[in-house]
Amino acid sequence: MTSPDAATPSLAAFRRIVVKVGSSLLVDPSEADLKREWLAQLAGDLAELHRRGADVLVVSSGAVALGRSVLGLPRGALPLEDSQAAAAVGQIALARVWAEALGDRGMVAGQILLTLGDTEERRRYLYARECLTRLLDLRAVPVINENDTVATAEIRYGDNDRLAARVAAMASADLLVLLSDVDGLYTADPGRDPAARLIPVVARVTAAIEAMAGGAASQFSRGGMRTKIEAAKIATTGGAHMVIADGRAPSPLSRIADGGPCTWFLTPSTPMTARKKWIAGSLEPKGCVHVDDGAARALASGKSLLPAGVTRIEGGFARGDCILIRNARGGEIGRGLVTYDASDAAQIIGRSSRDIEGLLGFKGPDEIIHRDDMALGGE
Ligand code: GLU
């Protein structure tokens, strides 16, 4: 922990930002209606980041809260089938308000509903990531929620804090903003302990920090600080800084930018180095590609691996699997996530990327391992 002025990053410094909006911010609990004015102001903040050139992603809760009132379901925890039904009704409204609010500020919204499997299974993860990346390339704003209508009791996030952190890692975002109804992390429950202090910067999530998020019995932890700390661990490991701030005030992002109260969780890494470390260290390789000397030189100079430079493949790998890259003498020079199944890869190796469509009957990526999905020996 350090002083805020010394170490607080500036919002203007980030190029890809995920903003998570909690249900209580969007949906008025008494009237069960949307807080349109608040949303319009937030959209203004998002438009400012977008105009400056940053990529913006939104993770928005509120489907269940909105649908619940339309269907006349009671407050409090709902049985699974009721929360699925509420989400089915509420998500339509939620998507519309985001499309309108962002549209009013000249931005295009694209809805993505994710299940746990989409972020945890490598193959599906890759497809979800490609869709996110493409939307961002096209300057659209992905608006993401959990697909609560098909989430099951066992296989779901259940909270959008951790979902947003996984999205941040998946999109290689460099900042995750959790807008909530708390200022940030306090040394103790501020409702009970008058000496409780807001912690401005957390350099690393230690056991002491986790303890501050409270035990199950604490009123404070029910506000969701524990899932926020979990989110901080996921986001910072993935190379993103994370900030928790009270979103209830108007223009909450401008408030953070102006040095308003919040807690920053800092990452020691960048999205790219975090991703490469993950590829280098944590995956079980499912096969290998042998490359010629020219390709080995191209990789060393920062290029992607093209089929033309591959002399041989081994293993029954699938698209998205981690495979080893070996040089002409069989030495391992790196590893990476392969863009083709082994059966397709076998048909295109040694050939020019221009021939891929003719050989396979579909237009796949030009590279067999993209530079961003590759960790070489020294990285
Ligand atoms: N996905 C849920 C919804 O949209 C919200 C989960 C959360 O609030 O963290 O209603």
Side-chain angles (χ1 to χ4, degrees):
M1 281 174 259
T2 47
S3 89
D5 326 347
T8 307
S10 147
L11 270 195
F14 297 99
R15 49 161 201 88
R16 186 166 287 181
I17 304 175
V18 178
V19 178
K20 183 257 171 177
V21 177
S23 300
S24 65
L25 296 177
L26 262 180
V27 186
D28 194 317
S30 52
E31 294 150 45
D33 202 7
L34 273 158
K35 300 185 190 164
R36 288 178 195 274
E37 210 168 300
W38 177 87
L39 182 58
Q41 276 170 341
L42 176 66
D45 278 3
L46 296 173
E48 182 51 31
L49 296 172
H50 195 255
R51 193 193 54 74
R52 246 193 29 231
D55 294 328
V56 175
L57 301 90
V58 171
V59 173
S60 177
S61 307
V64 175
L66 277 172
R68 167 203 300 269
S69 65
V70 176
L71 292 173
L73 294 166
R75 287 203 199 174
L78 293 174
L80 180 64
E81 61 277 20
D82 282 2
S83 70
Q84 288 173 323
V89 170
Q91 185 61 40
I92 294 180
L94 192 61
R96 195 179 57 230
V97 294
W98 274 108
E100 285 171 5
L102 297 174
D104 285 348
R105 301 286 180 163
M107 291 174 286
V108 174
Q111 173 181 260
I112 303 188
L113 299 177
L114 294 173
T115 53
L116 191 68
D118 297 318
T119 62
E120 305 309 293
E121 285 170 33
R122 215 175 312 133
R123 197 180 164 81
R124 284 163 63 186
Y125 175 98
L126 213 67
Y127 281 107
R129 188 162 71 95
E130 274 171 13
C131 176
L132 280 178
T133 311
R134 188 68 190 126
L135 279 169
L136 295 171
D137 286 347
L138 295 166
R139 296 299 287 146
V141 176
V143 177
I144 300 151
N145 196 359
E146 183 160 19
N147 194 350
D148 294 306
T149 52
V150 294
T152 63
E154 307 79 37
I155 306 170
R156 71 183 321 172
Y157 277 95
D159 68 89
N160 276 6
D161 294 324
R162 289 176 307 148
L163 173 68
R166 292 294 286 151
V167 165
M170 180 152 79
S172 300
D174 47 9
L175 176 64
L176 167 62
V177 181
L178 296 185
L179 293 180
S180 163
D181 52 7
V182 288
D183 278 339
L185 178 67
Y186 281 82
T187 50
D189 177 352
R192 294 177 179 201
D193 184 349
R197 276 185 311 104
L198 180 70
I199 301 171
V201 179
V202 174
R204 207 160 60 82
V205 180
T206 57
I209 292 293
E210 291 195 54
M212 285 176 201
S218 131
Q219 174 70 28
F220 185 50
S221 71
R222 280 212 295 273
M225 194 48 74
R226 288 174 96 189
T227 61
K228 290 180 175 49
I229 299 293
E230 286 303 315
K233 286 199 273 186
I234 297 167
T236 56
T237 309
H241 289 313
M242 186 181 105
V243 59
I244 304 176
D246 189 341
R248 286 172 299 184
S251 302
L253 297 179
S254 307
R255 261 181 103 222
I256 298 173
D258 295 342
C262 58
T263 300
W264 284 90
F265 293 81
L266 304 181
T267 177
S269 191
T270 66
M272 197 53 83
T273 50
R275 184 167 171 70
K276 291 190 177 222
K277 252 189 246 157
W278 176 71
I279 290 169
S282 66
L283 302 173
E284 179 111 320
K286 294 283 192 303
C288 105
V289 278
H290 293 259
V291 304
D292 61 25
D293 288 340
R297 273 196 303 277
L299 299 188
S301 74
K303 300 274 183 0
S304 294
L305 177 61
L306 302 178
V310 179
T311 53
R312 192 154 63 84
I313 61 167
E314 282 167 35
F317 51 81
R319 175 181 147 76
D321 280 342
C322 179
I323 60 172
L324 298 177
I325 306 167
R326 294 193 187 279
N327 62 20
R329 286 155 298 285
E332 179 182 335
I333 55 174
R335 46 183 75 189
L337 306 184
V338 67
T339 58
Y340 288 93
D341 292 341
S343 55
D344 289 338
Q347 295 183 60
I348 59 174
I349 58 172
R351 305 291 295 261
S352 157
S353 298
R354 279 193 307 274
D355 300 338
I356 292 176
E357 190 168 4
L359 290 164
L360 299 181
F362 64 89
K363 168 103 191 72
D366 284 350
E367 58 282 333
I368 203 157
I369 300 178
H370 192 276
R371 180 77 201 98
D372 293 349
D373 292 333
M374 186 190 302
L376 297 182
E379 288 180 322

